[in-house]
Amino acid sequence: MYEQLTHYLNSQIKVSEEELKIIHSFFRPLKLKKNELLVTHGQTSQRTFFVGKGCLRIFFINEEGQDATRYFAFEDQFATALVSFITGEPSEEFIQAAEDSELLYITHKDFYHLLEVIPQWEKFYRHYLEKAYVNNTKRLMSFLTQDATEKYRQLLNENPIIVRRLPNKMVASYLNISQETLSRLKSKV
Amino acid sequence: MYEQLTHYLNSQIKVSEEELKIIHSFFRPLKLKKNELLVTHGQTSQRTFFVGKGCLRIFFINEEGQDATRYFAFEDQFATALVSFITGEPSEEFIQAAEDSELLYITHKDFYHLLEVIPQWEKFYRHYLEKAYVNNTKRLMSFLTQDATEKYRQLLNENPIIVRRLPNKMVASYLNISQETLSRLKSKV
DNA sequence: GCTACGCTTTGATGTAGATCAAAAAATAAA
DNA sequence: TTTATTTTTTGATCTACATCAAAGCGTAGC
């Protein structure tokens, strides 16, 4: 799994063998069964996860107990409760294994430590933030301007893996529509 | 206006007099009349704006011509079509003066130049990205979990200036509800 | 193989908020 | 001031999608 991580890091930044070793030393492995929770509501000390195998789901829940999914991270992607990670405030986001998963994680403290000792890590974080921002803003646009059918069509085009690998319930939660509506869409579109 | 900028920068990062001069040299002033557009759809070369006086509105428009507002920047705030700024792709966002405004702006090219010559600028940009991300994600959460009344109540609590200074039309566009619905909410809430 | 529990589909009904339309009020222009 | 234009309010109607309910499938465990 550390090889996957190396590969991913090399695609983003230029780091020496030496630096790579340091980075690796802060990442620890973790196995999760489907549905296990990694971050619970209100938790403050955040970790950042790298998905080696499986899938993580980041979501929030409103007062009536309905959940809305913000992001799915599959193999070779990072995932974190980023708002809480940035602000240090208790998380309103949960992280859950959507499938049996194998992960690497780094603590918030160590992540910030890397920002100081590995100059390229600042760049890595910047790219991470930029991608997260672009992704979120596109989702925001989608919710503001598209109806259920359009959202589903776009998902099929841009992220078919979500539809293929995950149960309707989670896809519906990602699109912020009901399972019934998604089911009806599937039979029509 | 450059004093305002200095003041704002000092609140974010530590820069020498010397560095401040360099930074200032890349910002140019600009006056705008209410409703004037700064970024038009599909434009690629982005600028970043600092609001000295007035208000900028960042929004997108869907196929049916309805607009949805992503952000209002008032005095002492930065504004940019950030997705396009990051990706270099044509902008799907517009920027418009919501009031008569006085601005400073820096080009994308110069902004990236500063990233290279002023070490603290990387930190400034990181903070900017972090804030933009947190803000956007909170908006996303709000749209996914709140109804019209809740959204309006929260806006009154957290950003009353938007309701006080701007016409219903724009407030409604920010909340992504119709003007009529907003009007009815105002008389009830 | 059978039983049970979680998913998905299908149908009937309800509702928040959009849209349409027109009056009333506020601003700007003349 | 008077007139024109934009903004806000109020009422009637419509619609996309949620919710409720029940039946049909699939698959995991016994």
Side-chain angles (χ1 to χ4, degrees):
Chain A
M1 201 151 37
Y2 285 93
E3 279 162 42
Q4 275 177 273
L5 178 60
T6 302
H7 189 261
Y8 180 73
L9 291 177
N10 282 335
S11 76
Q12 299 281 313
I13 52 173
K14 288 195 206 81
V15 279
S16 66
E17 278 297 316
E18 200 51 47
E19 291 173 316
L20 208 50
K21 256 187 203 153
I22 299 175
I23 294 172
H24 279 186
S25 74
F26 290 109
F27 278 87
R28 288 165 203 299
L30 183 63
K31 279 196 188 190
L32 279 189
K33 284 250 181 299
K34 189 172 165 177
N35 293 329
E36 274 189 88
L37 278 176
L38 274 170
V39 172
T40 53
H41 188 265
Q43 183 173 325
T44 50
S45 88
Q46 296 305 333
R47 291 175 290 177
T48 293
F49 303 93
F50 177 75
V51 181
K53 194 156 169 293
C55 175
L56 292 181
R57 176 170 88 100
I58 305 180
F59 63 105
F60 14 75
I61 296 188
N62 69 0
E63 302 80 46
E64 288 103 52
Q66 295 156 312
D67 68 52
T69 299
R70 202 202 84 212
Y71 191 66
F72 290 112
F74 294 96
E75 285 79 5
D76 301 315
Q77 290 183 301
F78 273 86
T80 190
L82 195 48
V83 168
S84 169
F85 189 89
I86 291 170
T87 63
E89 287 164 19
S91 184
E92 304 193 35
E93 296 180 308
F94 299 72
I95 301 184
Q96 181 192 39
E99 303 172 341
D100 292 351
S101 302
E102 295 174 23
L103 316 167
L104 293 172
Y105 72 87
I106 180 172
T107 66
H108 182 269
K109 187 169 144 288
D110 291 340
F111 192 100
Y112 269 76
H113 175 67
L114 285 181
L115 283 177
E116 277 159 33
V117 298
I118 313 272
Q120 283 279 301
W121 197 254
E122 178 89 47
K123 196 171 176 189
F124 172 76
Y125 184 38
R126 193 227 291 174
H127 285 326
Y128 183 53
L129 277 174
E130 286 185 338
K131 254 188 291 181
Y133 178 81
V134 169
N135 191 60
N136 256 223
T137 305
K138 288 194 170 168
R139 298 214 73 210
L140 193 59
M141 280 185 60
S142 154
F143 287 124
L144 293 181
T145 63
Q146 295 181 308
D147 66 20
T149 313
E150 290 168 332
K151 284 189 284 186
Y152 179 61
R153 280 231 178 82
Q154 183 173 310
L155 184 64
L156 275 182
N157 272 328
E158 300 182 358
N159 259 317
I161 192 177
I162 290 177
V163 182
R164 254 188 284 118
R165 263 170 75 165
L166 302 172
N168 269 2
K169 191 157 94 153
M170 288 189 182
V171 179
S173 159
Y174 186 76
L175 295 174
N176 202 39
I177 61 179
S178 71
Q179 300 175 54
E180 292 92 331
T181 296
L182 177 60
S183 172
R184 285 183 249 262
L185 280 177
K186 276 190 161 180
S187 64
K188 275 180 205 163
V189 176
Chain B
M1 199 148 43
Y2 285 92
E3 278 162 41
Q4 275 177 274
L5 178 60
T6 301
H7 188 260
Y8 181 74
L9 291 176
N10 282 335
S11 77
Q12 299 281 313
I13 52 173
K14 290 196 206 80
V15 279
S16 65
E17 279 296 316
E18 200 51 47
E19 290 173 316
L20 208 50
K21 257 188 205 156
I22 299 175
I23 294 171
H24 279 186
S25 75
F26 290 109
F27 279 88
R28 288 167 204 296
L30 184 61
K31 279 196 188 191
L32 279 188
K33 283 252 180 299
K34 189 172 165 178
N35 293 327
E36 274 190 87
L37 278 175
L38 274 169
V39 172
T40 53
H41 189 266
Q43 182 173 327
T44 50
S45 87
Q46 296 305 332
R47 290 175 290 176
T48 293
F49 302 94
F50 176 76
V51 180
K53 194 154 169 295
C55 175
L56 291 182
R57 178 169 88 99
I58 304 179
F59 63 105
F60 16 75
I61 296 188
N62 71 0
E63 301 80 46
E64 288 104 48
Q66 295 155 313
D67 68 51
T69 299
R70 203 202 82 212
Y71 191 66
F72 290 112
F74 293 96
E75 284 79 5
D76 300 316
Q77 291 184 302
F78 272 87
T80 191
L82 196 47
V83 168
S84 169
F85 189 88
I86 291 170
T87 63
E89 288 165 17
S91 183
E92 304 195 34
E93 297 179 308
F94 298 74
I95 302 184
Q96 180 191 41
E99 304 172 340
D100 291 351
S101 303
E102 294 175 23
L103 316 167
L104 293 173
Y105 72 87
I106 180 173
T107 66
H108 183 269
K109 187 170 144 286
D110 291 340
F111 192 100
Y112 270 76
H113 176 68
L114 285 181
L115 283 176
E116 276 160 34
V117 297
I118 313 272
Q120 282 280 300
W121 197 254
E122 178 91 44
K123 197 170 175 191
F124 172 77
Y125 183 39
R126 194 227 291 173
H127 286 325
Y128 183 53
L129 277 174
E130 286 185 340
K131 253 188 292 180
Y133 178 82
V134 169
N135 190 60
N136 257 221
T137 305
K138 289 194 169 166
R139 298 215 74 209
L140 194 59
M141 281 185 59
S142 154
F143 288 124
L144 293 180
T145 64
Q146 296 181 308
D147 66 19
T149 313
E150 291 168 332
K151 285 189 283 186
Y152 179 60
R153 280 230 178 81
Q154 182 173 310
L155 185 64
L156 276 182
N157 273 328
E158 299 182 0
N159 259 318
I161 191 177
I162 290 176
V163 183
R164 255 189 283 117
R165 263 170 73 167
L166 302 172
N168 269 2
K169 191 157 97 152
M170 288 188 182
V171 179
S173 159
Y174 186 76
L175 294 173
N176 204 38
I177 61 180
S178 70
Q179 300 176 53
E180 293 92 330
T181 296
L182 177 59
S183 171
R184 285 183 249 263
L185 280 176
K186 278 190 160 180
S187 65
K188 275 181 203 159
V189 176

